[in-house]
Tab-separated table of all heavy atoms in Angstrom:
chain	number	residue	atom	x	y	z
A	287	ALA	N	-9.114	1.224	-44.562
A	287	ALA	CA	-10.057	0.557	-43.659
A	287	ALA	C	-10.727	1.785	-42.783
A	287	ALA	O	-10.332	2.974	-42.823
A	287	ALA	CB	-9.275	-0.260	-42.709
A	288	VAL	N	-11.810	1.433	-42.078
A	288	VAL	CA	-12.481	2.306	-41.262
A	288	VAL	C	-11.664	2.472	-39.945
A	288	VAL	O	-11.046	1.490	-39.484
A	288	VAL	CB	-13.890	1.748	-40.860
A	288	VAL	CG1	-14.516	2.690	-39.777
A	288	VAL	CG2	-14.700	1.694	-42.093
A	289	ASN	N	-11.594	3.603	-39.413
A	289	ASN	CA	-10.842	4.043	-38.151
A	289	ASN	C	-9.299	3.481	-38.309
A	289	ASN	O	-8.850	2.769	-37.429
A	289	ASN	CB	-11.542	3.226	-37.007
A	289	ASN	CG	-12.829	3.845	-36.640
A	289	ASN	OD1	-13.218	4.954	-37.045
A	289	ASN	ND2	-13.613	3.066	-35.944
A	290	VAL	N	-8.675	3.932	-39.375
A	290	VAL	CA	-7.349	3.529	-39.630
A	290	VAL	C	-6.356	4.436	-38.953
A	290	VAL	O	-6.562	5.606	-38.761
A	290	VAL	CB	-7.024	3.519	-41.128
A	290	VAL	CG1	-7.077	4.824	-41.769
A	290	VAL	CG2	-5.737	2.789	-41.497
A	291	LEU	N	-5.354	3.907	-38.463
A	291	LEU	CA	-4.245	4.596	-37.736
A	291	LEU	C	-2.850	4.376	-38.438
A	291	LEU	O	-2.480	3.259	-38.748
A	291	LEU	CB	-4.137	4.223	-36.244
A	291	LEU	CG	-5.379	4.196	-35.494
A	291	LEU	CD1	-5.184	3.334	-34.226
A	291	LEU	CD2	-5.743	5.582	-35.150
A	292	ASP	N	-2.071	5.347	-38.663
A	292	ASP	CA	-0.686	5.306	-39.159
A	292	ASP	C	0.218	4.868	-37.996
A	292	ASP	O	0.180	5.480	-36.969
A	292	ASP	CB	-0.351	6.577	-39.803
A	292	ASP	CG	0.934	6.440	-40.756
A	292	ASP	OD1	1.811	5.764	-40.310
A	292	ASP	OD2	0.913	6.855	-41.858
A	293	THR	N	1.123	3.892	-38.281
A	293	THR	CA	2.031	3.488	-37.086
A	293	THR	C	3.373	4.140	-37.185
A	293	THR	O	4.262	3.695	-36.464
A	293	THR	CB	2.202	2.000	-37.197
A	293	THR	OG1	2.880	1.556	-38.438
A	293	THR	CG2	0.853	1.265	-37.139
A	294	LYS	N	3.698	5.081	-38.135
A	294	LYS	CA	4.950	5.653	-38.144
A	294	LYS	C	5.286	6.348	-36.852
A	294	LYS	O	4.395	6.816	-36.168
A	294	LYS	CB	5.137	6.630	-39.366
A	294	LYS	CG	4.263	7.824	-39.290
A	294	LYS	CD	4.617	8.636	-40.573
A	294	LYS	CE	3.650	9.860	-40.559
A	294	LYS	NZ	3.734	10.578	-41.762
A	295	ASP	N	6.622	6.391	-36.607
A	295	ASP	CA	7.097	7.026	-35.267
A	295	ASP	C	6.676	6.233	-34.050
A	295	ASP	O	6.578	6.802	-32.968
A	295	ASP	CB	6.624	8.451	-35.134
A	295	ASP	CG	7.125	9.363	-36.313
A	295	ASP	OD1	8.206	9.167	-36.768
A	295	ASP	OD2	6.370	10.262	-36.750
A	296	SER	N	6.290	4.972	-34.217
A	296	SER	CA	6.063	4.196	-33.068
A	296	SER	C	7.276	3.683	-32.339
A	296	SER	O	8.251	3.521	-32.952
A	296	SER	CB	5.155	2.978	-33.475
A	296	SER	OG	3.926	3.367	-34.091
A	297	SER	N	7.031	3.392	-31.005
A	297	SER	CA	8.120	2.680	-30.302
A	297	SER	C	7.706	1.356	-29.828
A	297	SER	O	6.525	1.103	-29.561
A	297	SER	CB	8.582	3.567	-29.072
A	297	SER	OG	7.421	3.733	-28.168
A	298	ILE	N	8.578	0.377	-29.820
A	298	ILE	CA	8.216	-1.040	-29.586
A	298	ILE	C	8.995	-1.552	-28.431
A	298	ILE	O	10.237	-1.365	-28.339
A	298	ILE	CB	8.616	-1.837	-30.836
A	298	ILE	CG1	7.803	-1.406	-32.004
A	298	ILE	CG2	8.116	-3.410	-30.613
A	298	ILE	CD1	8.270	-1.988	-33.424
A	299	LEU	N	8.299	-2.245	-27.469
A	299	LEU	CA	8.862	-2.744	-26.312
A	299	LEU	C	8.512	-4.339	-26.315
A	299	LEU	O	7.360	-4.654	-26.393
A	299	LEU	CB	8.395	-2.104	-25.074
A	299	LEU	CG	8.984	-2.562	-23.703
A	299	LEU	CD1	10.521	-2.224	-23.669
A	299	LEU	CD2	8.273	-1.880	-22.472
A	300	GLU	N	9.561	-5.148	-26.246
A	300	GLU	CA	9.273	-6.602	-26.165
A	300	GLU	C	9.120	-7.022	-24.638
A	300	GLU	O	9.930	-6.794	-23.836
A	300	GLU	CB	10.439	-7.424	-26.806
A	300	GLU	CG	10.186	-8.919	-26.733
A	300	GLU	CD	11.362	-9.724	-27.374
A	300	GLU	OE1	12.380	-9.086	-27.819
A	300	GLU	OE2	11.198	-10.919	-27.416
A	301	MET	N	7.950	-7.696	-24.474
A	301	MET	CA	7.736	-8.397	-23.167
A	301	MET	C	7.769	-9.894	-23.470
A	301	MET	O	7.821	-10.322	-24.589
A	301	MET	CB	6.364	-7.879	-22.660
A	301	MET	CG	6.173	-6.482	-22.515
A	301	MET	SD	7.328	-5.666	-21.322
A	301	MET	CE	6.588	-6.091	-19.830
A	302	PRO	N	7.712	-10.701	-22.411
A	302	PRO	CA	7.812	-12.175	-22.633
A	302	PRO	C	6.737	-12.637	-23.530
A	302	PRO	O	7.003	-13.514	-24.366
A	302	PRO	CB	7.725	-12.762	-21.215
A	302	PRO	CG	8.210	-11.746	-20.315
A	302	PRO	CD	7.865	-10.434	-20.938
A	303	PHE	N	5.460	-12.272	-23.306
A	303	PHE	CA	4.356	-12.808	-24.062
A	303	PHE	C	3.537	-11.749	-24.842
A	303	PHE	O	2.499	-12.052	-25.278
A	303	PHE	CB	3.398	-13.517	-22.975
A	303	PHE	CG	4.087	-14.617	-22.329
A	303	PHE	CD1	4.464	-14.474	-20.987
A	303	PHE	CD2	4.455	-15.767	-22.985
A	303	PHE	CE1	5.091	-15.447	-20.267
A	303	PHE	CE2	5.128	-16.819	-22.265
A	303	PHE	CZ	5.499	-16.587	-20.931
A	304	GLU	N	4.124	-10.625	-25.076
A	304	GLU	CA	3.419	-9.599	-25.868
A	304	GLU	C	4.354	-8.417	-26.315
A	304	GLU	O	5.390	-8.285	-25.627
A	304	GLU	CB	2.205	-9.047	-25.238
A	304	GLU	CG	2.475	-8.294	-23.932
A	304	GLU	CD	1.241	-7.996	-23.126
A	304	GLU	OE1	0.117	-8.418	-23.509
A	304	GLU	OE2	1.324	-7.327	-22.020
A	305	TRP	N	3.975	-7.877	-27.447
A	305	TRP	CA	4.706	-6.637	-27.844
A	305	TRP	C	3.864	-5.489	-27.345
A	305	TRP	O	2.607	-5.525	-27.591
A	305	TRP	CB	4.822	-6.618	-29.323
A	305	TRP	CG	5.654	-7.766	-29.966
A	305	TRP	CD1	5.137	-8.892	-30.533
A	305	TRP	CD2	7.074	-7.919	-30.057
A	305	TRP	NE1	6.237	-9.773	-30.951
A	305	TRP	CE2	7.314	-9.084	-30.611
A	305	TRP	CE3	8.158	-7.040	-29.668
A	305	TRP	CZ2	8.722	-9.477	-30.929
A	305	TRP	CZ3	9.366	-7.502	-29.913
A	305	TRP	CH2	9.635	-8.588	-30.500
A	306	GLU	N	4.537	-4.497	-26.764
A	306	GLU	CA	3.860	-3.296	-26.401
A	306	GLU	C	4.372	-2.128	-27.395
A	306	GLU	O	5.468	-1.831	-27.394
A	306	GLU	CB	4.209	-2.846	-25.018
A	306	GLU	CG	3.653	-3.831	-23.973
A	306	GLU	CD	3.838	-3.415	-22.520
A	306	GLU	OE1	4.496	-2.305	-22.277
A	306	GLU	OE2	3.412	-4.104	-21.745
A	307	VAL	N	3.402	-1.689	-28.199
A	307	VAL	CA	3.685	-0.683	-29.171
A	307	VAL	C	2.953	0.635	-28.844
A	307	VAL	O	1.798	0.683	-28.673
A	307	VAL	CB	3.168	-1.133	-30.620
A	307	VAL	CG1	3.513	-0.135	-31.671
A	307	VAL	CG2	3.762	-2.488	-30.939
A	308	THR	N	3.832	1.686	-28.683
A	308	THR	CA	3.297	3.022	-28.491
A	308	THR	C	3.291	3.753	-29.743
A	308	THR	O	4.441	3.993	-30.264
A	308	THR	CB	4.073	3.752	-27.385
A	308	THR	OG1	4.138	2.967	-26.147
A	308	THR	CG2	3.370	5.069	-27.005
A	309	LEU	N	2.138	4.109	-30.297
A	309	LEU	CA	2.063	4.971	-31.567
A	309	LEU	C	2.555	6.269	-31.329
A	309	LEU	O	2.679	6.756	-30.280
A	309	LEU	CB	0.695	4.846	-32.169
A	309	LEU	CG	0.070	3.442	-32.333
A	309	LEU	CD1	-1.304	3.611	-32.997
A	309	LEU	CD2	0.922	2.496	-33.081
A	310	GLY	N	2.820	6.953	-32.446
A	310	GLY	CA	3.425	8.378	-32.383
A	310	GLY	C	2.488	9.296	-31.774
A	310	GLY	O	2.860	10.290	-31.106
A	311	ASN	N	1.085	8.967	-31.840
A	311	ASN	CA	0.122	9.878	-31.247
A	311	ASN	C	-0.140	9.605	-29.758
A	311	ASN	O	-0.920	10.126	-29.095
A	311	ASN	CB	-1.118	9.872	-32.037
A	311	ASN	CG	-1.766	8.544	-32.151
A	311	ASN	OD1	-1.450	7.584	-31.365
A	311	ASN	ND2	-2.587	8.265	-33.154
A	312	GLY	N	0.535	8.570	-29.201
A	312	GLY	CA	0.348	8.101	-27.829
A	312	GLY	C	-0.509	7.008	-27.538
A	312	GLY	O	-0.552	6.509	-26.477
A	313	LEU	N	-1.247	6.524	-28.559
A	313	LEU	CA	-2.028	5.287	-28.436
A	313	LEU	C	-1.166	4.105	-28.151
A	313	LEU	O	-0.100	4.004	-28.629
A	313	LEU	CB	-2.862	5.041	-29.662
A	313	LEU	CG	-4.306	5.824	-29.712
A	313	LEU	CD1	-4.708	5.846	-31.137
A	313	LEU	CD2	-5.192	5.279	-28.824
A	314	TRP	N	-1.732	3.141	-27.378
A	314	TRP	CA	-0.962	2.007	-26.894
A	314	TRP	C	-1.572	0.690	-27.471
A	314	TRP	O	-2.796	0.467	-27.272
A	314	TRP	CB	-1.061	1.936	-25.432
A	314	TRP	CG	0.057	1.183	-24.674
A	314	TRP	CD1	1.428	1.230	-25.091
A	314	TRP	CD2	-0.086	0.489	-23.537
A	314	TRP	NE1	2.082	0.399	-24.179
A	314	TRP	CE2	1.224	0.009	-23.249
A	314	TRP	CE3	-1.076	0.200	-22.628
A	314	TRP	CZ2	1.521	-0.799	-22.168
A	314	TRP	CZ3	-0.850	-0.610	-21.582
A	314	TRP	CH2	0.452	-1.098	-21.274
A	315	TRP	N	-0.756	-0.107	-28.121
A	315	TRP	CA	-1.351	-1.333	-28.730
A	315	TRP	C	-0.496	-2.578	-28.047
A	315	TRP	O	0.813	-2.552	-27.992
A	315	TRP	CB	-1.038	-1.343	-30.194
A	315	TRP	CG	-1.439	-2.652	-30.888
A	315	TRP	CD1	-2.395	-3.553	-30.662
A	315	TRP	CD2	-0.681	-3.246	-32.088
A	315	TRP	NE1	-2.355	-4.702	-31.564
A	315	TRP	CE2	-1.366	-4.505	-32.426
A	315	TRP	CE3	0.411	-2.870	-32.804
A	315	TRP	CZ2	-0.994	-5.191	-33.506
A	315	TRP	CZ3	0.814	-3.650	-33.862
A	315	TRP	CH2	0.205	-4.852	-34.222
A	316	LYS	N	-1.236	-3.590	-27.671
A	316	LYS	CA	-0.640	-4.752	-27.073
A	316	LYS	C	-0.922	-5.893	-28.184
A	316	LYS	O	-1.987	-6.136	-28.603
A	316	LYS	CB	-1.197	-5.101	-25.803
A	316	LYS	CG	-0.646	-4.433	-24.592
A	316	LYS	CD	-1.091	-5.009	-23.261
A	316	LYS	CE	-0.379	-4.352	-22.199
A	316	LYS	NZ	-0.803	-4.992	-20.807
A	317	TYR	N	0.201	-6.638	-28.471
A	317	TYR	CA	0.084	-7.743	-29.508
A	317	TYR	C	0.712	-8.953	-28.949
A	317	TYR	O	1.929	-9.047	-28.585
A	317	TYR	CB	0.731	-7.270	-30.762
A	317	TYR	CG	0.654	-8.313	-31.973
A	317	TYR	CD1	-0.617	-8.365	-32.519
A	317	TYR	CD2	1.730	-8.997	-32.382
A	317	TYR	CE1	-0.804	-9.342	-33.686
A	317	TYR	CE2	1.579	-9.913	-33.404
A	317	TYR	CZ	0.360	-10.021	-34.009
A	317	TYR	OH	0.156	-10.960	-35.094
A	318	ASP	N	-0.088	-10.098	-28.869
A	318	ASP	CA	0.442	-11.327	-28.233
A	318	ASP	C	1.567	-11.954	-28.962
A	318	ASP	O	1.499	-11.954	-30.277
A	318	ASP	CB	-0.729	-12.296	-28.001
A	318	ASP	CG	-1.711	-11.842	-27.024
A	318	ASP	OD1	-1.432	-10.893	-26.213
A	318	ASP	OD2	-2.902	-12.323	-27.085
A	319	LYS	N	2.488	-12.684	-28.293
A	319	LYS	CA	3.610	-13.213	-28.999
A	319	LYS	C	3.919	-14.512	-28.179
A	319	LYS	O	3.531	-14.734	-27.000
A	319	LYS	CB	4.810	-12.308	-29.067
A	319	LYS	CG	5.449	-11.996	-27.652
A	319	LYS	CD	6.622	-11.130	-27.732
A	319	LYS	CE	7.957	-11.802	-27.892
A	319	LYS	NZ	8.502	-12.654	-26.789
A	320	GLN	N	4.753	-15.401	-28.743
A	320	GLN	CA	5.258	-16.574	-28.109
A	320	GLN	C	6.629	-16.233	-27.442
A	320	GLN	O	7.241	-15.272	-27.836
A	320	GLN	CB	5.593	-17.702	-29.066
A	320	GLN	CG	4.230	-18.204	-29.787
A	320	GLN	CD	3.186	-18.773	-28.783
A	320	GLN	OE1	3.565	-19.577	-27.915
A	320	GLN	NE2	1.957	-18.468	-29.078
A	321	ILE	N	6.938	-16.951	-26.367
A	321	ILE	CA	8.109	-16.641	-25.587
A	321	ILE	C	9.393	-16.712	-26.469
A	321	ILE	O	10.351	-15.995	-26.310
A	321	ILE	CB	8.359	-17.553	-24.376
A	321	ILE	CG1	9.450	-17.125	-23.478
A	321	ILE	CG2	8.509	-18.956	-24.814
A	321	ILE	CD1	9.208	-15.956	-22.678
A	322	HIS	N	9.380	-17.616	-27.478
A	322	HIS	CA	10.622	-17.743	-28.396
A	322	HIS	C	10.693	-16.842	-29.567
A	322	HIS	O	11.578	-16.761	-30.330
A	322	HIS	CB	10.696	-19.183	-28.849
A	322	HIS	CG	9.438	-19.681	-29.503
A	322	HIS	ND1	9.234	-19.333	-30.817
A	322	HIS	CD2	8.379	-20.448	-29.077
A	322	HIS	CE1	8.021	-19.869	-31.088
A	322	HIS	NE2	7.557	-20.564	-30.166
Side-chain angles (χ1 to χ4, degrees):
V288 175
N289 294 342
V290 67
L291 309 164
D292 195 313
T293 65
K294 67 182 179 185
D295 301 323
S296 296
S297 58
I298 303 168
L299 183 64
E300 181 181 2
M301 305 296 283
F303 300 105
E304 60 193 6
W305 298 98
E306 292 183 0
V307 180
T308 307
L309 305 186
N311 55 21
L313 276 162
W314 203 37
W315 175 36
K316 281 189 173 185
Y317 185 72
D318 292 342
K319 67 181 274 290
Q320 298 296 317
I321 189 75
H322 55 77

